[in-house]
Each structure stands twice: as C-alpha cells, then as structure tokens.
C-alpha cells in the first residue's frame, strides 16, 4: 500500500519526530532545557507562524503542522503518562502520609491564589463569574513541567507535588462549578457535581481492589515471557484502562493514571515499568509542549505586549508570594519556600482546559480567553527560566541567613552495593553483606526468583539489565560497589564496560566463567574478576590428590603454583600492570 505524502497525519508525525531528533540533542549540548526548544518549535511550525504561509508557499506544508486538533490526544496522553510515572515513584503509605499537605497546603494555595487573582480581575471590570473562573484557572501550576524539574522527593519537589496533586484532583470539580455558575445554569449543575463525586469515589475504590488482585498476576506472566513488547503492552493497557474508567465516571483521566502508577508501585515491577514507558512519556510530552507553542499567537503578542507583560508579572507575583508564605507558615526553610514559590508561579496546561470551560459556560468572552491563553503559553515557555531564577533567589536568601540549602536526599540503598543477578552466587553475597550490616540492592530478571527472595526478606527488585534504560535507573554514581554475578559472559563484559565509562572510580567485581572471560572483564574495566571454573577445578584437584594419598604440603604448593600460573596468564591476556587478585584471603592465610 502506497503512502500519500500529502496525508496530514504522516506529515505532522514527520515534523514532530524530526523536531524531537533536533531539539533534544541540540539543547542538551548547550545545557538548556528541551522544554523551551519544543515550545519554540510549536511556535515556528504552528498556524500562527509558518503555518499561515502555506497558501503562498505550498512547500511549507511538509514542515508545518496542518491539523492542530489531531495532535491534541497525543499531547493529553503525554500528561497521562507523566502522572502515571509520578504514581510509580510513590506508594499509598507515602500518599497517606502526605494527606495533610495535599488537602491543607494544596487547597490553601489554590483557593487563596485564585481568590486574589479573581478579586484583582473583578476590580478591573470582569464580572464575578468570569473572575472566579479565570482566577482558579490562572492559579493552577504545570504538573507536566514542574515535577520533571523538581522531582517528588527533593525539598522543593515535596511541597510542589502536594500542591500539584490537589490541583489535579480539583480540576473536574472546578469545571463542574463553572458550569453551575453559568448564566443559563440551573440547580442541576450542583447535583451533577455531587453525582460525579459519588461515581468517582466508587470507581477509584473499584480500580484499587481490582488492581491489587490482578496486577501482580498479570505482570508476573508478562515477566516470565521475558518479552519487553508484552511488558510494555501490559503497562500501557493498565494506564489506558484506568484513565478511561475515571474519565467515564466524570473525573479527570490523569487521576486514573496516577492511581495506576500507585498500584504498580506496590509491586516488584515498578522499576521495570517506569524504565520501559519512559521513552513514550518523553515523546508525548514533547508533543504537548509543541501544542503549547502552537497556541501562541505572535501577532497578538506584538499588539498587546505591554498588557501581556503586566498580566504575566502580576499572576506570577501573586502565586509566588502566596506559595512562599504558605510554605513558610508550614515550617519550610526560607530558601526552599522561595524557590518553590517561584517555580510554581507560571500557569498550567490545565489552565487552558478551565478557561475553555469558562468560555463554554458564557462566563468570559472569546477575546478575553484569547488574551489569557497567550499569557498561559508564555508562562509555560518561561517555566525553565523560573526554575533557574528560583535557585538563584534561594541561594541568596540562604547565604544572607548564613546557612546552606538543604542537601539533596539520596536513597540509603544507593549508598550501598548493587548486585546484578540473584542466583546462588548473588544470594550468598547478599547474605554476607547482611551479616556485616552493609546495605545492598539486588536486581534479577527472573520474576519467580525475585518473588521467592523477597518473601525470604532479601532486598531484590525485578529488572532486565540487558536494557540500557534499566541500568541508568540504578543510579550507580551513588553506589559503593557493583557486583555482577550473571551467567552471561557477553552481557557481563558489555555491562562492565558501560558502567566503567561513566563511573570511573566505582569498584566493579564480576563473576567470570574462566581465565579468558576474566581477562576480557579486566579489559572492560572490572576491578576484580573471579573465574569460578578456575577455583572449582583447583579445589577439586586438591581434594583428589589428598584422597590419592599425596601429602598435603606438596598439594598446597602445587595448587599455589598453578594459581600463580593462571594469574600471570590473565595478567598478560588483559594487559594489566598488576596481577589479578585471586583468592587473596586464602593466600594471606597460607
């Protein structure tokens, strides 16, 4: 079947994929957030820039996005995958511990910021209904941009996440409230809000119960096939089903995505799921950012730039001050409160949704919606700049107070030993580390072995290190040592070489099959390579000679001689300056 090059879907896909291939490496080289790059691409290829010239220059059709409505579902899917990945980093226990922050700090930030902005708009002539809608819309902050910058476990990320989570939960009630405030609304609007709350609660409980029962079994079967494609399909299926369920109940689909992530986070598959869905999340978020840029009308910016600058500065000042004061009142350090306030100051992608609902309800005029849509697009564009500005403000505040910023939190396990492969060798190493109170984290691709080991109290997680993105997630730059015990000589050499390339000082101890494999591992950068075939053959020879009546002294001497011979052979084959350390403890004792 021949492809039509003038097919708008194909043309738009080529523009998006080409943009990702250019923006990400180009902006990474200059250490600039690709967020800005994607938004600038959206501005350039959108209907308000090059897209408006297609009639005059038809060749521009192939480098612009002609069907803006067609990419919106992909942009929304990016936000859904983002909330799903956030859920994977959480647990129900942690979420329950955050309930005071979410429903206290989060609710206060949204309501106070929305009230202040809405009051200012009303004093400028906006009717009360429109002022409330715009105030709440502009009080929202961008989950899609803030959390990738701040994370969820840092001092900045904890407060930001609590507020953003409440905003995501409040999105649908806000939309229903605006419908109830419409000039033509009746009491059915408030009844609809109550119905949604009831249906949403039942749906969330049903998803929770079904997920706790079905997900471990479904992912267990997927893991046993050792098929990344099946694992990915299962992950996306869970996200889509949960999102559709909450959307059907009247809630936002991002609530279902967050719940799906939380449920998978309670299983041993969360690291693998997060790693395998990360590329899709990144690409879909890129599509979302391109759509944000496409909503920016440069002609409107040129015409009303003084008003736009004042509007952006006013909204950001209100949100930054309110957020900072609330965080300070909750006991947060001044520098952290200031940095969080500045980062949370820009509007959100969901601001456009709330403004659309307000416009549909007749609360704001189309010209007003267009103006504030431009404000939102500009605010999203400068969010990475706000992050840098917030860090500078925090440093100055902390320096003035004579203190340092809070240190970044590091997972305690990341400061210990990472064991890749949890068969008989990995299990023995874990037992020795545990006996000496040394922290460790083991990774294995056999889900049945992982499940059995976890039931016995070992700290083991499921993961396939044959995939490079899984290795990246182990954060080996913070590990004390890496032990590779897999019975896969090619993969162990490749993994050793890759890890040594980015962590030059990390001790890497690897299980080797024989002397040749040990030499290859030393060439790849292993600190120690222990050839199990060599040691087992020497021990068997020692037992045989003693049983045949040879004196113990000569036997031990010949064993040492053979070991030295093997050691020198490995040294020469690997081109080492030192002799490999084989059986150091036994030699020291003799």
């Amino acid at each position: 079947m021949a492809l039509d090059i003038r097919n708008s879907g194909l043309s738009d896909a080529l523009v998006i994929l080409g943009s990702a291939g250019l923006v990400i490496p180009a902006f990474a080289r200059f250490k600039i957030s690709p967020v800005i790059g994607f938004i600038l691409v959206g501005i350039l290829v959108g209907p308000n820039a090059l897209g408006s010239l297609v009639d005059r220059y038809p060749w521009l059709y192939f480098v612009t996005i002609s069907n803006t409505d067609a990419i919106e579902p992909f942009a929304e899917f990016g936000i859904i995958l983002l909330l799903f990945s956030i859920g994977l980093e959480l647990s129900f226990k942690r979420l329950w511990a955050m309930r005071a922050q979410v429903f206290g700090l989060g609710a206060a930030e949204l309501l106070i910021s929305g009230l202040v902005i809405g009051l200012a708009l009303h004093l400028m002539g906006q009717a009360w209904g429109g002022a409330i809608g715009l105030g709440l819309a502009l009080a929202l902050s961008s989950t899609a941009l803030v959390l990738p910058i701040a994370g969820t476990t840092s001092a900045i990320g904890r407060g930001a996440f609590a507020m953003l989570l409440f905003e995501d939960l409040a999105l649908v009630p806000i939309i229903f409230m605006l419908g109830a405030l419409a000039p033509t609304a009746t009491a059915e609007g408030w009844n609809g809000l109550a119905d949604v709350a009831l249906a949403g609660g039942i749906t969330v409980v049903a998803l929770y119960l079904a997920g706790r029962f079905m997900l471990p079994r479904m992912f267990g079967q997927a893991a046993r096939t050792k098929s990344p494609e099946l694992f990915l399909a299962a992950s996306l299926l869970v996200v889509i089903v949960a999102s559709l369920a909450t959307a059907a109940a009247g809630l936002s689909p991002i609530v279902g995505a967050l719940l799906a992530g939380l449920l998978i986070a309670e299983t041993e598959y969360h690291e693998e799921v997060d790693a395998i869905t990360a590329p899709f999340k990144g690409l879909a978020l890129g599509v979302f950012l391109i759509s944000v840029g496409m909503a920016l009308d440069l002609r409107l910016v040129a015409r009303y730039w003084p008003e736009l600058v004042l509007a952006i500065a006013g909204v950001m000042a209100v949100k930054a001050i309110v957020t900072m004061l609330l965080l300070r009142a909750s006991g947060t350090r001044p520098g952290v409160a200031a940095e969080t306030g500045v980062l949370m100051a820009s509007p959100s992608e969901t601001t456009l949704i709330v403004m659309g609902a307000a416009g549909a309800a007749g609360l704001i005029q189309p010209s007003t919606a267009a103006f504030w849509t431009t404000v939102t697009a500009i605010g999203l564009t400068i969010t990475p700049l706000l992050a840098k500005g917030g860090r500078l403000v925090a440093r100055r505040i902390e320096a003035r107070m004579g203190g340092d910023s809070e240190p970044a939190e590091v997972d305690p396990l990341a400061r210990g030993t990472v064991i890749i492969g949890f068969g008989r060798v990995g299990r023995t190493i874990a037992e020795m580390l545990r006996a000496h109170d040394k922290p460790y984290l083991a990774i294995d691709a056999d889900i049945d072995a992982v499940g059995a080991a976890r039931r016995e109290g070992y700290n083991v997680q499921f993961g396939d290190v044959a995939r490079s993105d899984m290795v990246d997630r182990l954060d080996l730059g913070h590990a004390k040592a890496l032990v590779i015990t897999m019975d896969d000589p090619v993969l162990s050499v490749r993994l050793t070489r890759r890890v040594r390339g980015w962590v030059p000082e990390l001790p890497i101890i690897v299980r080797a099959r024989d002397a040749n494999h040990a030499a290859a591992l030393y060439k790849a950068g292993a600190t120690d390579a222990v050839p199990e075939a060599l040691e087992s053959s020497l021990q068997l020879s020692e037992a045989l000679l003693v049983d045949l009546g040879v004196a113990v002294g000569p036997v031990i001497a010949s064993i040492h001689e053979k070991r030295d011979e093997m050691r020198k052979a490995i040294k020469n084959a690997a081109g080492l300056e030192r002799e490999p350390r084989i059986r150091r403890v036994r030699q020291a004792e003799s």
Side-chain angles (χ1 to χ4, degrees), residues 4-30:
D4 184 5
I5 191 63
R6 296 194 63 85
N7 180 289
S8 63
L10 177 61
S11 175
D12 294 346
L14 290 174
V15 172
I16 291 170
L17 294 175
S19 301
L22 293 173
V23 165
I24 294 176
F27 279 70
R29 180 176 180 81
F30 295 102

Side-chain angles (χ1 to χ4, degrees), residues 35-368:
V35 168
I36 298 176
F38 279 118
I39 294 178
L40 292 177
V41 167
I43 295 173
L44 184 64
V45 305
N48 298 312
L50 293 180
S52 64
L53 303 176
V54 171
D55 292 337
R56 295 169 56 185
Y57 305 100
W59 61 270
L60 287 175
Y61 173 87
F62 301 105
V63 294
T64 58
I65 296 178
S66 56
N67 190 354
T68 56
D69 294 333
I71 71 169
E72 287 184 3
F74 298 99
E76 294 172 1
F77 189 55
I79 300 174
I80 286 173
L81 284 179
L82 173 67
L83 266 294
F84 173 67
S85 66
I86 291 168
L88 288 173
E89 298 177 4
L90 295 172
S91 64
F92 284 102
K93 182 179 179 181
R94 182 184 171 198
L95 199 60
W96 177 253
M98 293 176 60
R99 64 189 184 280
Q101 282 186 301
V102 173
F103 295 100
L105 180 64
E109 185 271 335
L110 176 62
L111 295 177
I112 295 174
S113 297
L115 178 62
V116 174
I117 296 173
L119 181 60
L121 291 172
H122 178 66
L123 294 175
M124 295 169 60
Q126 181 71 50
W128 268 117
I132 292 173
L134 283 173
L136 290 173
L138 294 168
L140 299 170
S141 299
S142 176
T143 301
L145 299 184
V146 171
L147 288 185
I149 293 172
T152 61
T153 58
S154 66
I156 309 298
R158 286 193 297 270
F161 176 66
M163 292 181 280
L164 291 168
L165 180 57
F166 180 83
E167 291 176 3
D168 291 334
L169 294 173
L171 178 61
V172 172
I174 288 174
I175 293 173
F176 271 89
M177 184 189 71
L178 294 179
L181 292 175
T184 58
T186 63
E188 294 179 359
W190 297 106
N191 293 334
L193 182 60
D195 292 341
V196 167
L198 177 61
I202 294 174
T203 301
V204 168
V205 172
L207 286 174
Y208 173 80
L209 295 175
R212 297 287 290 214
F213 176 76
M214 295 175 60
L215 289 185
R217 293 164 175 78
M218 182 177 73
F219 280 106
Q221 291 299 320
R224 289 184 183 93
T225 65
K226 298 187 181 299
S227 170
E229 294 81 6
L230 182 59
F231 215 93
L232 174 61
S235 303
L236 295 179
L237 176 65
V238 172
V239 180
I240 293 172
V241 168
S243 299
L244 289 176
T246 53
L251 296 177
S252 171
I254 60 179
V255 176
L258 180 67
L259 180 61
L262 284 167
L263 289 168
I264 296 177
E266 299 294 322
T267 71
E268 56 266 34
Y269 311 100
H270 64 280
E271 290 287 351
E272 182 76 4
V273 171
D274 196 12
I276 207 167
T277 57
F280 294 87
K281 178 189 70 176
L283 183 59
L285 278 176
V287 177
F288 159 71
L289 295 169
I290 290 175
S291 70
V292 170
M294 292 167 58
L296 194 59
D297 190 341
L298 296 180
R299 289 167 294 189
L300 186 63
V301 173
R303 185 181 305 171
Y304 297 107
W305 70 265
E307 293 88 345
L308 288 169
V309 170
L310 289 174
I312 294 169
V315 169
M316 291 184 174
V318 169
K319 294 175 67 177
I321 292 172
V322 169
T323 302
M324 183 178 65
L325 292 177
L326 287 173
L327 287 170
R328 287 292 296 131
S330 66
T332 304
R333 290 169 59 94
V336 173
E339 185 174 350
T340 307
V342 173
L343 182 60
M344 293 281 291
S346 63
S348 168
E349 60 278 359
T350 52
T351 297
L352 304 176
I353 299 174
V354 176
M355 282 198 294
L363 297 175
I364 58 176
Q365 297 298 318
S367 58
T368 303

